[in-house]
Amino acid sequence: AATVLCEAFAVLKIPVYCMGFQHIHGFDAYQTHFVRWKNTTEERMSILSARPDGNNLDSYSIRYATEVLRKRTEKHKLMCVISDGLPSHYFTGEDGIRENTAAIQGARASGAEVFGIAVDAGNTGTFTQMYGADHFISILRPNDLADRAADLIKTVVKDW
């Protein structure tokens, strides 16, 4: 999903930053920065090294990305959060959902538009709770990502 979005933004010449949590050999999660605004082919290829296998902390990543976006001078800022539906390895159930919701609201209060992409997430009720019904999509097949994401982005940025 991250590769598809970064490739699309490269074609459109839209600056993008791609980061994510991953764990190494079951230990603590590390935040890895794959694409850093230039969105070069080499940066996009680095996404293939991602090992998204637990230990995520979405609310921290959202807050970190909010700070990264605050430093940008662009008038419009868009944040996409790709998730399997479990917002945190460290917070259980409702606590993780509450932390994510607060982080999303904080990002929106800072001027960023935030939307989520649920990848094979099963129950999407938590996405509605965290992002709002019109600010997330659920993807079960990779073929659906580009069209569904494009439609969502159009909806989110329609007033820009």
Side-chain angles (χ1 to χ4, degrees):
T3 301
V4 168
L5 291 171
C6 288
E7 289 287 343
F9 290 134
V11 170
L12 298 170
K13 297 187 181 349
I14 296 173
V16 65
Y17 197 101
C18 176
M19 64 181 187
F21 267 102
Q22 56 186 345
H23 76 86
I24 300 171
H25 308 297
F27 297 108
D28 289 338
Y30 295 92
Q31 190 169 36
T32 306
H33 303 264
F34 301 103
V35 176
R36 299 173 187 250
W37 301 120
K38 292 182 181 178
N39 201 7
T40 64
T41 301
E42 183 178 337
E43 286 180 322
R44 290 191 302 278
M45 292 299 291
S46 76
I47 297 169
L48 297 174
S49 71
R51 298 290 175 254
D53 191 20
N55 288 12
N56 62 308
L57 186 53
D58 292 359
S59 59
Y60 176 85
S61 288
I62 293 166
R63 288 181 176 106
Y64 184 95
T66 300
E67 292 305 312
V68 169
L69 285 173
R70 273 191 194 153
K71 296 175 183 173
R72 298 295 294 188
T73 60
E74 289 83 2
K75 180 178 179 182
H76 301 291
K77 300 170 186 181
L78 181 64
M79 182 188 305
C80 170
V81 181
I82 302 167
S83 177
D84 64 358
L86 300 173
S88 175
H89 175 77
Y90 301 97
F91 297 111
T92 59
E94 288 300 317
D95 291 335
I97 293 167
R98 191 171 29 261
E99 283 295 314
N100 262 27
T101 302
I104 291 163
Q105 290 171 348
R108 288 178 176 155
S110 78
E113 289 288 341
V114 183
F115 70 94
I117 296 179
V119 179
D120 197 20
N123 178 4
T124 58
T126 56
F127 279 86
T128 302
Q129 187 177 346
M130 293 184 295
Y131 295 93
D134 296 332
H135 285 78
F136 84 92
I137 54 173
S138 180
I139 301 297
L140 296 176
R141 299 177 319 189
N143 311 14
D144 298 336
L145 176 63
D147 288 340
R148 301 275 320 280
D151 289 342
L152 178 60
I153 291 168
K154 287 179 204 171
T155 299
V156 170
V157 302
K158 69 181 175 217
D159 295 327
W160 284 7

